[in-house]
Amino acid sequence: TLLGIMSIPENVTIYHFGQQFCTYLFAMSLAVSGVFSPSFHKLIAEEKRDEVNNLFLKISEIQTIILTLVAFGFLSCGKDFIIMWLGKDREGVFIVGVVLMMIELCPLTMNSSIEIQRAQDKHKFRAFVYFFVAIVNLVLSIMFLKIFPSEYAIEACLLGSLIARIVSHWILMN
């Protein structure tokens, strides 16, 4: 939305397609962890903490393997795919996709922790942090869009998103 307001429509398209590849990675992570959601709820209700930890570690290992293969497959073949699909002038989609995928790779391997938090009814902090970080992302992106020259609008929004995701996923959630 910010790119649409403060930049040209082409930048919106480039950022959207790049972010869409990160969304695919997120969906794969949820597909793996979602299968085990009932198991987490059952084990936590039965107060079997060691089994919860062991299951979490096994699922995280599976997610790490799958997501790493997908992310590095995109890293190795994605640029050529995007050039064939969208053309040489949309090469920025690859850069946006790679940056967002790499910053999300580690947090997505621990996606099962969300189900554990829900089962323990401790997900309010996560909701508050995401709300706060969304506001920070908005403010930073607007600030960077005003500071950076207009030809770097995508990078400005990407930088705002990166800072917000690093603060939320890598610092506050851990």
Side-chain angles (χ1 to χ4, degrees):
T1 303
L2 287 176
L3 281 173
I5 294 169
M6 302 177 81
S7 182
I8 59 175
E10 182 178 342
N11 288 344
V12 176
T13 303
I14 290 172
Y15 194 90
H16 172 73
F17 277 128
Q19 189 173 18
Q20 194 64 35
F21 286 104
C22 186
T23 303
Y24 297 146
L25 196 68
F26 185 76
M28 287 180 200
S29 175
L30 281 179
V32 174
S33 64
V35 171
F36 296 96
S37 176
S39 299
F40 282 122
H41 286 270
K42 180 182 176 194
L43 291 172
I44 288 171
E46 295 172 355
E47 296 184 12
K48 296 181 179 179
R49 303 278 182 210
D50 290 336
E51 290 182 38
V52 170
N53 288 337
N54 290 335
L55 183 60
F56 173 72
L57 292 173
K58 287 178 187 174
I59 294 169
S60 293
E61 186 178 333
I62 293 168
Q63 286 176 316
T64 301
I65 292 167
I66 292 171
L67 298 179
T68 303
L69 287 172
V70 170
F72 284 98
F74 181 74
L75 191 61
S76 63
C77 302
K79 186 173 185 178
D80 295 330
F81 170 74
I82 289 171
I83 290 172
M84 286 185 341
W85 180 35
L86 299 172
K88 183 84 171 147
D89 56 333
R90 301 282 195 276
E91 202 171 303
V93 171
F94 174 72
I95 294 166
V96 171
V98 166
V99 169
L100 292 177
M101 287 172 95
M102 291 304 144
I103 200 71
E104 292 287 342
L105 191 60
C106 184
L108 287 177
T109 62
M110 298 180 285
N111 220 6
S112 300
S113 65
I114 297 170
E115 284 305 318
I116 294 171
Q117 286 177 343
R118 284 186 190 144
Q120 294 174 338
D121 199 28
K122 295 182 178 179
H123 56 283
K124 292 175 187 170
F125 175 74
R126 178 178 288 276
F128 174 75
V129 167
Y130 282 152
F131 177 74
F132 173 74
V133 168
I135 293 171
V136 170
N137 185 2
L138 181 69
V139 170
L140 286 175
S141 296
I142 290 171
M143 184 180 74
F144 291 142
L145 280 166
K146 291 194 179 276
I147 293 172
F148 285 25
S150 61
E151 60 268 8
Y152 296 108
I154 294 172
E155 290 83 354
C157 282
L158 192 57
L159 184 60
S161 295
L162 285 177
I163 292 170
R165 289 176 185 195
I166 288 171
V167 168
S168 67
H169 293 310
W170 291 78
I171 297 171
L172 295 176
M173 289 303 163
N174 285 329

